[in-house]
Each structure stands twice: as C-alpha cells, then as structure tokens.
Amino acid sequence: MASPYKASGHHDLPTPEPDSPSLTRPRQPYRFSTLCATVDSPDADHKDQHGSSSVPIYQSATFKGIGNRYDYTRSGNPTRSHLEHHIAKISSAAHAFSVSSGMAALDVITRLLKPGSEVIAGDDLYGGTNRLLTYLRTHMGVIVHHVDTTKAESVIPVLQPGKTAMVLLESPTNPLLKIVDIAGISALVKEKCEEAIVVVDNTMMSPYLQRPLEHGADIVYDSATKYLSGHHDLMAGVITCNRDDIAKNIAFLINSVGNALSPFDSFLLLRGMKTLAIRMDRQQSTAMLVAQLLSKLGFVTHYPGLPDHPGKEIHDRISDGYGAVLSFETGDKELSERIVAATRLWGISVSFGCVNSLISMPCVMSHASIDPAVRAARGLPEDLIRLCVGIEDPADLLDDLRHALIEAGAITYAANDFVRIPNPINRAVEKLALGEPRMEPLRDNREWFVSVPGKVILFGEHAVVHGVTAVAASLDLRCYGLTSPRHDGKISVHFTDINDYKHEWDLDELPWDAVVPIPKGDEHPESLDLRVIEAIKTRALPLESQMPPKTHAAAVAFLYLYMMMTCSSHRPSFHFVCRSTLPIGAGLGSSASFSVCVATALLILHQRMELPSLPPPTREPTAPGDPGHVNLSHQGRRAIPPALAEETNRWAFVAEKVLHGNPSGIDNSVAVFGGALSYVRPGFGRRSGMEHVQGFRSLRFLLVDSTVPRDTKALVAGVARKKSAEPALVAQLLDAIQTISDEARRALADPELPRGALLSGLAALIDENHAHLVSLGVSHPALEAIRAKTSASPYNLSTKLTGAGGGGCAVTLVPDDFSDDDLQTLIDALKADGYQPYVTAVGGSGLGILSPYDPIVVDQQDDVSPPMSPPMTPSPRDEQEEPFRPSIRRRFEEVDVGELSQWASGRGKWLYV
C-alpha cells in the first residue's frame, strides 16, 4: 500500500523522535532527498566509536572471536550492513541485500525456482535478463512465458496455480519505455495464484521515483551500477523485500554463492546514494526537454513524460517521476548509426544511470544477444536509439544532439527552425515485388550502372587468418558494371578486364532442374548448393581448361547468383558488362568488387529489393558524341537504402564463396559500405566481427602492382607450416601485428590527432608491419625491390606489401606535402622497372548505383558481333507508351581505362551507400 505522504513528496519512514519536550507535535517524516543524504546506524551495535560522519570501510575478510555478529565477510560485514540498512530505508523495505551486480541479484532471485517451475516475463526486457531466462529454460528445466505485460489480462492465460512460481516485471521497460501496471498485475497474481512471487526490476526508476513493494511486489531488485551509484565506478546489485521467508532464503543463497558486495564497493555505493535525489531531479528535467525536442521534430519518441505516451496514466499513479531514459526511432538503421557516431557529449555505452549522458543502439549493443527474429517479433526496432540523460547543462546536451542530427542528415535548419529531413525509406518507393507485371518492363527496359570500390588492407595481412585484427579501407580505384536490356530470351556477359571474355546463354537452356531458388526476403544458406555449381560447370560452360584464366570462376559466380535469385517465371534478359580501374589479381579486392557489381545488378533486375522512387528527370549536357543521359535530381538525400546494401553484401559474399571457397567477408564488406573497417575472424578467443572505423580521414597512397602472380592458398599454408614448426616465434609476430593494428585503428579514428602526427605515426607502423610480414616469409623479391625504391632518398617513403604477399601489390603512404614532381619521378622509375603504379586515395564511398529515368532503346549497332546475337529493340507499342533514350553501353565498353572513372562520374547523380 502506498504511503499516505507519497503525494506530497514525504515518505512514512523512521525518523528521530522529538528531542525537546516543549514541542506539542511530532516531527514530520523526512523527505526522500534528506533520507538519501542521512546515513544512520542499523542499531546501537553499529555506532562508530570515533563518531565518523562517513561509514568506515571494514576491509577485512575475517573477524576475531567466537559467536560474534561478524566472523567472515562473505557472510556479513559492518560496511555492507550500513549499506543494506540504508537501502531498505529508502525502498519501503524490511529487508535489503547487496550483491556484485544487477544480474547477480537476478541470479540469486531465480535460484528460488525449481525445475518445472513456470515464469511469466515481459516481452520487452533487458538483454541480460532475456539471456539468463533463456539459459534457465534451456538448461534448468524452467518454463518461461513471454507476454505483453503492458496488458494485465495477457497474464491470465499463462497464470497456472501450482505451476507459476514467478512473475517478472519491468516498468518502464528497457528500451521501449513501456508501462506495466505493477499494482494491477500484483493484485491479479495474488488472486489467481497466491504462491507465485512478483519480482520487479526497478533499475530504470530507482527507489526515488518508484517503490514497487508499495504496490504489491514481493521482491524488487536494481542494478545499483546505474542510478543508485550514479557514477559508473562500481558494479553492484540490490535486492529488497518485506517477507521474512523470502529474505531468509535470499540471505542463505548469497552466503552460499558468495556474491555479496565487497566492503569497498559497499562504501562507494553508500556514498553515491547520498546524491541520488539531486542527481535524478536534474537528469529527468533535462530528459523531458530532450524528449520534447525529438517529438517536435517528428521522431517516434518513447518517454513516459510525453502526454501521448501509452500507459502514462498508469505510470503517474505508481511513480513519482518519469526517469532519465528515453528512446526514439529514425526509420533507418544506418541513419541511427550516423547519429550515434556524430555525438560528442553523449558517450556511446551500453549502460545508463550515470552523471554523464550516454547514447546507444540497443539492437546493436545491450540487446544484441537477443536473436534478431525474436527482436522483430517483440517489436524492437533495429533503428532504435536510446538516450540516457546525465547532469550536464541541458543547453549543451540539446545543442550536441541537434548537431549530431544535422551531421547525420536527419534534420536541417529552415524557416528559422530545425526541421526533419524526410527519410527516403519512408517515402513512396517503387513497388518491385515479383508478380507486378507493370513494374517488370519498367525495370527491364533500363540500364543500371553500378560502381564499387576496391580495397586495401592497411594493417594486419595474413595474421587475420590466425585471428589477428586487420584494418582495411576502400580505394577510389573502382569496378563498374552496366546492365543493358535484351528482349530475346538470352543473357550475356563481357568481362573486359578478364581476357576480354564474352559469352551468352539461352535462358531456357540453363540447368534450371538443378536449382532450388532462394525465396525473396530469405537469406542464402551458409553452404553453397554444390548441385547447382556442378550443373553450371558441366552443362552451361566449357571446361575450365578451355576458357581463359579466371573467366571460368567469374562466369560460374554470375550464373549461380542469377539462377538462385530467380523465383518466378520472369527471367530478366540482359547484357552485363564489367570494367575495372583496379589491377586484377593484385590483392586489392578486385574479385570482391566484381562480386558486389554482379550481386547488385541481379538484385535490381530480379526485383528483390526496393529502391527510392525516382524524382523528375533533369537532362544535363554530356560529352561530345555521347548520347544524352538522364540524371537523378539533387533534391532529397541521395542514398542507397540500408536494406539494399545489406542484402547486396550477403549475396556478394555468396559470389566470393564461389570464387574463393572460404572468404573472410572483409573484402565484400569494404566494397559495399566503403570507408574503413577492422575485422577479426571468429574462433580465436577474441571478439570477432567487423566494425567501421569512425572518423577515418582520407589518405593518399601509391599502389604498385608487382605484376608477379601470387598463390594465396600456398602462402597461407606456408605461414601455417611455419607456425607449426616455430610456434613461439610466429605467436610473437602475430601479437606484434595485433598491437600494430590496434594502434593504427586508434590513430585513424582519433579526430583530435594532428594530421602530421597521424601520417608520421602511420608511416612508422607501416614499416614495422612489413618487417613482421617478411619474418613470416610472405614477401617477395619484387615487393622488396619496390620497397627499396620508394624508401630510398630523396623519396624516403614507407611501403609494405598488401594482401597475401608473394607478389601482388605494395602500398606506399604519400604524405600531404610530398611534391607532385617527386611523385611523378618515382612513378616513372617504377614503370621503367616493369611495375604498374597507381596514385589513389583510401576511405571513400562504397557501392554506388545509377539509373536513368527513361527506358532505353538499344540499336543493333551497339551489340557485339557474332557469336553474340543482337537483342531485339522494344516494340513500337512500348515506344509509344514511354519515351526511350539511346544506350550508353557501346561508349562504356570503348572508353579508355584511364578516362573511365571521370567518364563514369559524369553520367549523373549516383546513389551511394
């Protein structure tokens, strides 16, 4: 039952008796902030003999004597007793316990369960809570029911007398801030299932704003790491209850398990709790301003203080405030990531409750352990951003958030106010679903132009195979793919940079009987369909020995993706041309760029992905002799939808498997997303995965193709043999390379590091990294000759091999102040030695897509002479219904490779990831 003083900010808790007989009435109970700041002794035995105003730290594991109150700190400690007395006092509790973390508190509570016990829990829970419940269900025989606890009646169907042992609630929930009627559900549970205990995670509110024991809960726990401590300088959890039987069992469990809070942490928590009220007053008042700002801008904002928040009336009835945590949706996961990365005052962290403001994306961080399908089923948006407000000046926090929103492209300043920029994904999109015949000719009659960067591994070559971090970045050397429509039931390819290879297939003669296609929206299985691969090799292509080098694998990858994506009777008929400014086979990700080009083109033509609707066309002048090209408008944010980028990356990885067997995935990821990222391969005891290097600044490099072929598998096998023969030496080298990668990543992501210091630091790391690779035995005389040339006076540049080594390519860092004359002299000298140098920049944009607004007409003169058969032109009926324009295919195939990049960039307004 709620305290009669609750509404006025008072609490009916123990206070001193009048000390003057002249007073005619007793003193009023202390208010909460006074209770927080006033730490009294649990009883007379705890009074400090020296009158200390701060509770002493009894940093002792044992206590002398027999039969005394304390004998062993695991069982009890005076400092912890003061803390637990204080927690009970401010929580309306008879008993309180402190343990090593919030999850340790829940672990103790769930140990009250037995195999076969049933637990009812909410469907919007903290990720760690969900993880523990999953473990109990999987390993301990506990049955868990997840229901929408915002509707009290949803508990009734699974509330079983004799079976239901626990009902676990959060209000507000984390991170959607859903409101649960703790009082209503508690009363319902007591009525229907008296033996069940109601447990409430009160971390979001703390005892200052909500005391669930007053509303019928049996046990309440908090992660005291959060608001109770308030400074994120300790880990702690607290448990409170009023029932003596429950308290006895919890005390027994804590003593048995040994997870009671240490004396020093008890002291820190007790100190932090003194400022709980004053901290939360500031935090929640600022949180209201932040929520109002986001709501006004049009973001879906979750905060109990907003007037339209679902369940607000329930929250107002059981709580004294709205807390300092809120969340909002942007409608675009990639946009959310940019917003989070652009903040300065808001620190990126999985936690909350600190005096410093924090920001996070729950689906990527705190709730990442929940299966994506489960997150989707529970309505947890992948784009959700959670804000945890601290005690900084409100004006500074609001200003920093506005700047992050502007920098990310979410809002702009117009008409003397900040306004939201419409999200392209939420605007009208072309309906590309299969089976919409009106859309098929529209897509089939266009040319689609795709641009994909190469990649360079800046640090960590070879070591990545053995679990060491690699740092890779995109190049402005790119691969280009162009699809041109055919209307004759055939598909054809022209791989201009792979021996100028050309081939065409009759669609009806492909081995469709071997294919079980992947439905639209589904992901390709982890393993390739070897039956399809074999059918393509034996029935759709000549023998590999009868084809030019590298063309066989490229054709197999192309056909495999085309056939696995075909899930309807509609089979797009088109010609695919691929060109590249990247050197092929030099370790610069040319195969990944090719894979991304193919995957993107096929996803578009198979109508498996939605693209932003096209704006009205604007025609721009083209070069003399070029056909007119229709460009996308400048209006709106020109960006490839994140879903398309992610889907492209998945299918490009499939193509890479066809080409290489067991790729790491780093090459295709850089090719799709651009910029720079770090990668750690799973299975080596480190946290695996890829992470973008935020804040990466463009760097100038000289890439030198040694023109010496390399055998990646042989080189990797050689390192493995060396590791087996000399494990200590190789381990030392790999550790050294890991350190280099870590230092390089920190430097590249540090916005405060001066440019000069960055370049000199990277130069030193490049030299050191190369020396370790030489020690691993993966260099080559040609690479060493290139390195000797570039490091000699007057150049004095730092060079290392990239990729697998054994030939391939060398990369040389070119400082900003390096003269163009010296660079040209160096290039000429390298060419004279038979090498092929390229001046490039790293860290640019990723996948780009360009489509004209109008369908095209293909002239028969644009087609390659036999054995290629010319595509048919669109019928006169189609021409009358829609305007057509000339194809750019012939010019694309003929333009000199040195002019290709400039020519491609002038085709129109590209959409980039």
Side-chain angles (χ1 to χ4, degrees):
M1 182 175 180
S3 166
Y5 296 102
K6 176 179 178 292
S8 61
H10 297 71
H11 300 274
D12 189 13
L13 298 172
T15 54
E17 291 298 320
D19 54 7
S20 172
S22 63
L23 293 176
T24 58
R25 60 183 178 83
R27 295 182 178 183
Q28 292 295 319
Y30 288 154
R31 291 167 173 79
F32 195 97
S33 57
T34 304
L35 291 172
C36 282
T38 306
V39 178
D40 53 4
S41 298
D43 51 52
D45 292 341
H46 284 82
K47 291 186 180 296
D48 179 57
Q49 60 178 324
H50 303 294
S52 172
S53 60
S54 180
V55 174
I57 305 173
Y58 287 85
Q59 194 66 40
S60 176
T62 58
F63 299 85
K64 296 178 180 179
I66 300 176
N68 295 329
R69 178 166 185 171
Y70 301 105
D71 57 4
Y72 194 55
T73 282
R74 172 166 57 80
S75 304
N77 181 279
T79 309
R80 192 161 68 239
S81 293
H82 274 86
L83 168 66
E84 292 171 344
H85 171 73
H86 195 61
I87 292 168
K89 183 178 68 173
I90 66 173
S91 302
S92 298
H95 307 279
F97 306 91
S98 57
V99 291
S100 55
S101 70
M103 287 309 304
L106 182 59
D107 175 61
V108 168
I109 294 168
T110 56
R111 286 175 188 265
L112 300 174
L113 300 170
K114 301 175 182 178
S117 297
E118 296 192 8
V119 175
I120 301 173
D123 60 0
D124 182 25
L125 297 171
Y126 166 57
T129 303
N130 189 86
R131 186 165 53 244
L132 180 58
L133 292 177
T134 300
Y135 180 87
L136 294 173
R137 181 177 62 242
T138 305
H139 301 283
M140 306 302 294
V142 173
I143 301 169
V144 181
H145 303 283
H146 289 283
V147 302
D148 182 4
T149 49
T150 63
K151 302 174 182 178
E153 62 273 15
S154 67
V155 174
I156 297 175
V158 289
L159 194 61
Q160 302 292 329
K163 294 182 179 179
T164 303
M166 184 176 293
V167 178
L168 181 58
L169 307 174
E170 291 182 27
S171 186
T173 63
N174 178 14
L176 290 177
L177 285 298
K178 295 180 181 179
I179 304 303
V180 175
D181 188 352
I182 296 173
I185 292 181
S186 296
L188 184 63
V189 171
K190 299 307 177 189
E191 177 186 350
K192 302 285 186 179
C193 194
E194 186 177 358
E195 66 276 16
I197 57 176
V198 177
V199 179
V200 178
D201 179 351
N202 197 46
T203 305
M204 292 277 280
M205 289 284 100
S206 85
Y208 180 42
L209 300 181
Q210 185 171 268
R211 291 163 300 283
L213 292 177
E214 296 177 354
H215 302 290
D218 297 296
I219 302 176
V220 177
Y221 73 98
D222 290 66
S223 171
T225 310
K226 315 299 192 297
Y227 291 113
L228 288 173
S229 167
H231 295 79
H232 282 187
D233 53 8
L234 68 96
M235 296 283 291
V238 301
I239 307 171
T240 58
C241 66
N242 281 326
R243 284 175 47 177
D244 293 342
D245 57 332
I246 292 177
K248 182 178 180 181
N249 288 332
I250 289 176
F252 173 82
L253 287 168
I254 293 173
N255 185 45
S256 300
V257 174
N259 61 354
L261 197 62
S262 70
F264 188 73
D265 286 340
S266 296
F267 167 81
L268 288 176
L269 179 54
L270 195 56
R271 183 178 67 170
M273 287 168 59
K274 293 179 182 180
T275 59
L276 171 62
I278 195 168
R279 283 187 279 107
M280 291 216 70
D281 282 343
R282 176 61 169 266
Q283 288 170 287
Q284 68 174 342
S285 65
T286 304
M288 178 66 82
L289 296 176
V290 174
Q292 290 170 342
L293 168 69
L294 293 169
S295 181
K296 179 183 176 183
L297 288 170
F299 295 102
V300 176
T301 307
H302 308 280
Y303 185 64
L306 295 176
D308 58 348
H309 188 78
K312 183 177 186 298
E313 68 287 350
I314 296 174
H315 185 83
D316 288 342
R317 173 160 43 87
I318 64 176
S319 302
D320 295 337
Y322 302 118
V325 176
L326 64 145
S327 59
F328 69 102
E329 303 171 36
T330 68
D332 182 343
K333 183 180 178 181
E334 185 186 48
L335 176 62
S336 297
E337 291 172 347
R338 292 200 302 271
I339 293 170
V340 171
T343 57
R344 293 186 179 181
L345 277 178
W346 302 80
I348 302 175
S349 175
V350 296
S351 193
F352 62 91
C354 183
V355 293
N356 304 111
S357 295
L358 304 173
I359 189 170
S360 67
M361 289 183 65
C363 289
V364 179
M365 301 170 71
S366 58
H367 292 61
S369 61
I370 302 177
D371 185 85
V374 175
R375 293 199 301 259
R378 296 179 185 176
L380 187 58
E382 296 292 312
D383 61 291
L384 190 74
I385 296 176
R386 189 183 69 180
L387 296 171
C388 310
V389 182
I391 65 170
E392 299 94 340
D393 190 287
D396 292 331
L397 289 174
L398 292 172
D399 181 67
D400 185 55
L401 184 58
R402 287 193 194 98
H403 275 86
L405 293 169
I406 291 172
E407 183 177 332
I411 67 172
T412 188
Y413 192 76
N416 297 318
D417 199 1
F418 293 97
V419 295
R420 187 176 176 187
I421 298 173
N423 191 327
I425 297 177
N426 292 335
R427 297 199 300 262
V429 295
E430 294 181 292
K431 302 300 182 182
L432 305 179
L434 292 173
E436 294 191 35
R438 214 180 148 270
M439 293 305 301
E440 290 178 356
L442 182 63
R443 177 135 318 181
D444 288 355
N445 286 338
R446 289 187 188 153
E447 284 182 324
W448 295 91
F449 203 2
V450 180
S451 167
V452 179
K455 76 91 180 59
V456 60
I457 296 182
L458 299 177
F459 299 97
E461 290 90 347
H462 256 285
V464 69
V465 179
H466 302 279
V468 176
T469 303
V471 179
S474 60
L475 295 172
D476 62 1
L477 300 176
R478 302 177 77 87
C479 181
Y480 298 92
L482 177 70
T483 65
S484 299
R486 296 179 64 132
H487 298 273
D488 58 354
K490 297 183 179 182
I491 56 172
S492 49
V493 296
H494 183 189
F495 302 149
T496 59
D497 298 299
I498 312 178
N499 300 286
D500 201 34
Y501 179 73
K502 302 167 187 174
H503 200 98
E504 84 174 8
W505 297 268
D506 189 313
L507 286 172
D508 291 336
E509 294 180 2
L510 290 175
W512 295 106
D513 57 298
V515 178
V516 179
I518 307 298
K520 180 180 178 181
D522 288 3
E523 294 185 17
H524 190 286
E526 185 174 344
S527 300
L528 297 173
D529 191 328
L530 299 181
R531 184 165 173 259
V532 178
I533 297 284
E534 184 62 23
I536 291 172
K537 289 181 177 180
T538 57
R539 295 161 56 187
L541 288 171
L543 294 175
E544 185 173 2
S545 60
Q546 298 173 358
M547 297 176 64
K550 302 183 185 299
T551 57
H552 186 269
V556 172
F558 175 84
L559 287 177
Y560 182 84
L561 262 62
Y562 180 89
M563 298 177 72
M564 295 302 287
M565 289 185 189
T566 304
C567 292
S568 75
S569 59
H570 175 63
R571 296 170 181 171
S573 176
F574 64 95
H575 179 63
F576 178 72
V577 186
C578 188
R579 297 201 62 187
S580 178
T581 60
L582 281 163
I584 306 300
L588 298 178
S590 56
S591 66
S593 299
F594 168 81
S595 297
V596 175
C597 278
V598 170
T600 305
L602 294 179
L603 284 168
I604 294 171
L605 291 171
H606 278 294
Q607 304 181 27
R608 297 178 71 96
M609 295 302 298
E610 294 180 345
L611 291 174
S613 56
L614 292 167
T618 59
R619 296 187 181 274
E620 296 182 357
T622 54
D626 278 354
H629 192 80
V630 181
N631 303 312
L632 296 181
S633 165
H634 286 278
Q635 296 177 353
R637 183 174 69 87
R638 297 184 301 278
I640 294 172
L644 175 56
E646 292 167 1
E647 183 78 350
T648 299
N649 196 36
R650 286 192 288 267
W651 280 100
F653 186 56
V654 174
E656 281 277 80
K657 286 184 177 181
V658 177
L659 294 171
H660 296 301
N662 185 29
S664 68
I666 188 171
D667 288 10
N668 51 275
S669 294
V670 173
V672 171
F673 296 103
L677 58 80
S678 67
Y679 170 76
V680 179
R681 191 168 183 170
F684 293 89
R686 294 186 177 92
R687 182 181 177 184
S688 62
M690 299 185 201
E691 295 182 0
H692 277 276
V693 180
Q694 302 292 344
F696 183 88
R697 290 167 283 179
S698 180
L699 300 168
R700 188 166 57 146
F701 275 86
L702 178 66
L703 306 181
V704 185
D705 184 3
S706 69
T707 70
V708 175
R710 55 180 174 73
D711 186 338
T712 300
K713 292 182 180 179
L715 290 163
V716 172
V719 174
R721 288 193 299 271
K722 188 177 183 67
K723 185 177 181 180
S724 177
E726 302 176 85
L729 172 62
V730 174
Q732 183 180 7
L733 292 171
L734 296 180
D735 288 343
I737 295 174
Q738 175 69 57
T739 301
I740 291 170
S741 294
D742 290 341
E743 291 182 7
R745 184 183 176 190
R746 284 192 293 268
L748 291 168
D750 186 355
E752 306 298 329
L753 187 64
R755 181 77 175 183
L758 172 65
L759 292 171
S760 62
L762 292 178
L765 293 175
I766 284 173
D767 291 335
E768 186 179 352
N769 196 167
H770 183 81
H772 294 318
L773 293 171
V774 171
S775 298
L776 283 175
V778 297
S779 188
H780 186 276
L783 295 174
E784 294 305 315
I786 293 169
R787 191 169 187 275
K789 178 86 67 176
T790 57
S791 62
S793 181
Y795 311 117
N796 302 315
L797 300 178
S798 295
T799 300
K800 62 185 285 295
L801 67 85
T802 187
C809 198
V811 294
T812 302
L813 180 63
V814 180
D816 297 341
D817 57 357
F818 194 78
S819 75
D820 292 340
D821 291 342
D822 285 345
L823 183 58
Q824 188 59 52
T825 301
L826 175 58
I827 289 173
D828 293 340
L830 291 166
K831 286 182 176 180
D833 289 342
Y835 305 122
Q836 181 58 56
Y838 302 82
V839 179
T840 185
V842 301
S845 57
L847 167 65
I849 299 175
L850 173 66
S851 170
Y853 185 74
D854 296 334
I856 70 164
V857 60
V858 181
D859 192 300
Q860 291 189 7
Q861 294 181 356
D862 288 334
D863 288 285
V864 183
S865 57
M868 304 284 294
S869 60
M872 296 167 53
T873 59
S875 67
R877 177 177 175 273
D878 291 335
E879 291 181 1
Q880 292 174 1
E881 291 181 354
E882 294 181 324
F884 286 81
R885 64 165 185 82
S887 167
I888 62 171
R889 168 182 158 188
R890 184 167 59 181
R891 180 63 176 143
F892 173 59
E893 290 181 313
E894 293 175 352
V895 67
D896 183 81
V897 69
E899 302 172 4
L900 180 57
S901 293
Q902 184 176 1
W903 179 86
S905 63
R907 294 306 86 210
K909 305 302 182 292
W910 289 80
L911 301 176
Y912 284 107
V913 171

